[in-house]
Amino acid sequence: MEPIYLLTTLDQNYLPQLQVALTSLWVNHPQDSFALALLHSGIPEEALDGVRRQCEAYQYEFMPVRVDDGLFQGAPVTRQYPKEMYYRLLAPHLLPRELRRVLYLDPDVLIINSIRPLWETDLKGNLFAAAAHTGRTELASGVNQLRLGTEQAYYNSGVLLMDLEAGRREIVPQDIFRYVEQHRKELILPDQDVLNALYGSRILPLEDALWNYDARNYSSYLVRSGGRCNLRWVMEHTAILHFCGKEKPWKPKYIRRFGILYQHYAQLTRRAWGIPI
């Protein structure tokens, strides 16, 4: 069975959260093999040692890729728009050409059921597959459609199945840089806004309750599903729990429902790898 190729982009501060995500992946995929690509702008090699040792222990391939700053000559780069925001959309041009598809994951996730069905999803000619968050965020989705001049749902960029071969043909870096330059005053979540504005019509919709569950929205999922999507259902069916927003479960004052589950995997990671989380 072929490995599942994963991608993430982050700075050094998020390495502990990446290790928690890897722990949850390993616990819930005993029969699968993975390869992890990490796009970064200069994390020291010694800082990557923890992730490297963890991947070696799990028999995952680890592919850290330091991105050449020269690729961003002429790109709008400021404190609000750091060059790292471009990495996931430009992944087709930054990853080895032999890779045909990759599953991008933000590091603030837990993987609690199999993601192989997502990995094997037929993209039907689209560049990406992604989920639009339902429930409380649907009003925001409508506002974002108006703000960006789009008609489709507003997709979250934290979980993206990507066709790299199609992306190499169709995603032009200068198109992205030009859009950011022309619309920088309107962009709120820059990389997510660009994804929706430029490529929203080339995204295959995914069910968020399965593949990109917004951990803030338990009550909304429960009501919309007529009570079906309760805690037991989430634990049995949801593959990816995404801790969206500013409140994060590794912070001391986090009080939302899935915080204790995150702490479980954090504790497993602390025991195995001795890292503070």
Side-chain angles (χ1 to χ4, degrees), residues 6-34:
L6 303 178
L7 167 66
T8 195
T9 65
L10 45 74
D11 61 26
Q12 186 172 340
N13 294 327
Y14 262 86
L15 287 173
Q17 285 71 44
L18 174 60
Q19 291 200 245
V20 175
L22 287 172
T23 297
S24 69
L25 181 73
W26 178 71
V27 167
N28 293 294
H29 292 78
Q31 305 301 323
D32 282 299
S33 60
F34 292 88

Side-chain angles (χ1 to χ4, degrees), residues 28-85:
N28 293 294
H29 292 78
Q31 305 301 323
D32 282 299
S33 60
F34 292 88
L36 173 65
L38 169 60
L39 297 177
H40 67 95
S41 61
I43 300 175
E45 281 297 311
E46 58 271 20
L48 294 172
D49 282 346
V51 176
R52 184 176 289 107
R53 289 188 294 109
Q54 190 175 10
C55 286
E56 288 174 355
Y58 297 164
Q59 298 184 324
Y60 298 167
E61 183 180 359
F62 181 45
M63 301 179 292
V65 178
R66 183 167 182 167
V67 179
D68 182 1
D69 285 351
L71 295 172
F72 300 94
Q73 294 295 327
V77 175
T78 65
R79 185 174 181 179
Q80 185 181 3
Y81 305 113
K83 57 184 179 295
E84 288 85 357
M85 82 174 196

Side-chain angles (χ1 to χ4, degrees), residues 13-254:
N13 294 327
Y14 262 86
L15 287 173
Q17 285 71 44
L18 174 60
Q19 291 200 245
V20 175
L22 287 172
T23 297
S24 69
L25 181 73
W26 178 71
V27 167
N28 293 294
H29 292 78
Q31 305 301 323
D32 282 299
S33 60
F34 292 88
L36 173 65
L38 169 60
L39 297 177
H40 67 95
S41 61
I43 300 175
E45 281 297 311
E46 58 271 20
L48 294 172
D49 282 346
V51 176
R52 184 176 289 107
R53 289 188 294 109
Q54 190 175 10
C55 286
E56 288 174 355
Y58 297 164
Q59 298 184 324
Y60 298 167
E61 183 180 359
F62 181 45
M63 301 179 292
V65 178
R66 183 167 182 167
V67 179
D68 182 1
D69 285 351
L71 295 172
F72 300 94
Q73 294 295 327
V77 175
T78 65
R79 185 174 181 179
Q80 185 181 3
Y81 305 113
K83 57 184 179 295
E84 288 85 357
M85 82 174 196
Y86 298 109
Y87 289 178
R88 80 187 78 181
L89 292 180
L90 296 183
H93 304 288
L94 300 174
L95 294 174
R97 295 192 67 82
E98 59 266 25
L99 293 185
R100 296 179 294 107
R101 67 165 48 192
V102 74
L103 177 59
Y104 172 85
L105 298 175
D106 274 352
D108 57 347
V109 299
L110 291 176
I111 302 96
I112 60 173
N113 282 295
S114 177
I115 57 174
R116 182 162 286 279
L118 173 57
W119 172 250
E120 295 175 348
T121 296
D122 182 357
L123 283 169
K124 301 178 181 179
N126 289 285
L127 289 171
F128 305 98
H133 283 148
T134 55
R136 293 189 317 170
T137 53
E138 281 183 300
L139 177 59
S141 184
V143 172
N144 287 322
Q145 289 171 339
L146 182 63
R147 180 171 59 85
L148 299 173
T150 57
E151 296 181 356
Q152 72 282 339
Y154 184 75
Y155 295 101
N156 181 271
S157 62
V159 177
L160 290 174
L161 182 63
M162 308 174 67
D163 182 336
L164 296 176
E165 292 181 316
R168 292 181 186 112
R169 296 190 301 267
E170 299 184 40
I171 296 176
V172 179
Q174 290 304 321
D175 289 347
I176 295 174
F177 302 157
R178 188 179 307 112
Y179 183 86
V180 173
E181 182 64 45
Q182 292 173 349
H183 298 273
R184 61 169 67 204
K185 292 182 179 179
E186 302 123 64
L187 301 182
I188 297 174
L189 300 172
D191 51 350
Q192 193 161 279
D193 284 351
V194 173
L195 170 74
N196 282 275
L198 292 183
Y199 308 110
S201 63
R202 302 298 314 283
I203 296 176
L204 178 74
L206 297 174
E207 184 179 350
D208 60 327
L210 292 175
W211 306 117
N212 189 348
Y213 185 105
D214 187 337
R216 300 170 295 183
N217 288 354
Y218 173 78
S219 296
S220 295
Y221 288 115
L222 188 65
V223 170
R224 287 173 61 89
S225 66
R228 180 176 63 98
C229 295
N230 56 20
L231 285 174
R232 180 182 291 274
W233 187 95
V234 172
M235 295 304 298
E236 291 178 352
H237 295 92
T238 295
I240 301 170
L241 275 177
H242 189 183
F243 293 90
C244 304
K246 293 181 179 180
E247 297 179 41
K248 300 298 184 184
W250 55 88
K251 294 182 177 180
K253 295 183 180 180
Y254 190 84

